[in-house]
Coordinates of all heavy atoms in Angstrom, one line a residue:
M1 N 149.8 55.7 67.5 CA 148.5 55.5 67.8 C 147.5 56.4 67.1 O 147.8 57.6 67.1 CB 148.3 55.6 69.4 CG 146.9 55.5 69.9 SD 146.8 55.8 71.6 CE 145.1 55.8 71.9
S2 N 146.5 55.9 66.5 CA 145.5 56.7 65.9 C 144.7 57.4 67.0 O 144.7 57.0 68.1 CB 144.6 55.9 65.0 OG 143.9 54.9 65.7
V3 N 144.0 58.4 66.6 CA 143.1 59.2 67.5 C 141.9 58.4 67.8 O 141.2 57.8 67.0 CB 142.7 60.6 67.0 CG1 141.8 61.3 67.9 CG2 144.0 61.4 66.7
K4 N 141.5 58.3 69.1 CA 140.3 57.6 69.6 C 139.4 58.6 70.3 O 139.9 59.3 71.2 CB 140.7 56.5 70.5 CG 139.5 55.8 71.1 CD 139.9 54.7 72.1 CE 138.7 54.0 72.7 NZ 139.1 53.0 73.7
I15 N 139.1 62.4 74.2 CA 140.0 62.3 73.1 C 141.3 61.7 73.5 O 141.9 62.2 74.5 CB 140.2 63.7 72.5 CG1 139.0 64.6 72.4 CG2 141.0 63.7 71.2 CD1 137.9 64.0 71.5
E16 N 141.8 60.7 72.8 CA 143.0 60.0 73.1 C 143.9 59.9 71.9 O 143.4 59.5 70.8 CB 142.8 58.6 73.7 CG 141.9 58.6 74.9 CD 141.6 57.1 75.3 OE1 142.6 56.4 75.8 OE2 140.5 56.7 75.1
G17 N 145.2 60.3 71.9 CA 146.0 60.1 70.8 C 147.3 60.9 71.0 O 147.4 61.9 71.7
E18 N 148.4 60.4 70.4 CA 149.7 61.0 70.5 C 149.8 62.3 69.7 O 150.5 63.2 70.1 CB 150.8 60.0 70.0 CG 150.9 58.8 70.8 CD 151.4 59.0 72.2 OE1 152.3 59.9 72.4 OE2 150.9 58.3 73.2
D19 N 149.2 62.4 68.5 CA 149.4 63.5 67.7 C 148.1 64.3 67.4 O 147.9 64.8 66.3 CB 150.0 63.1 66.3 CG 151.4 62.4 66.4 OD1 152.2 63.0 67.2 OD2 151.6 61.4 65.8
V20 N 147.3 64.5 68.5 CA 146.1 65.3 68.3 C 146.4 66.8 68.3 O 147.2 67.3 69.1 CB 145.1 65.0 69.5 CG1 143.9 65.8 69.4 CG2 144.8 63.5 69.5
T36 N 148.0 63.7 76.0 CA 147.6 62.7 75.0 C 146.2 62.3 75.3 O 145.6 61.5 74.5 CB 148.5 61.5 75.0 OG1 148.6 60.9 76.3 CG2 149.9 62.0 74.6
V37 N 145.6 62.7 76.4 CA 144.2 62.4 76.7 C 143.5 63.7 77.3 O 144.1 64.3 78.2 CB 144.1 61.3 77.8 CG1 142.6 61.0 78.2 CG2 144.7 60.0 77.3

Side-chain angles (χ1 to χ4, degrees):
M1 175 182 174
S2 60
V3 175
K4 178 182 177 183
I15 315 299
E16 302 174 69
E18 296 292 325
D19 296 318
V20 176
T36 58
V37 178

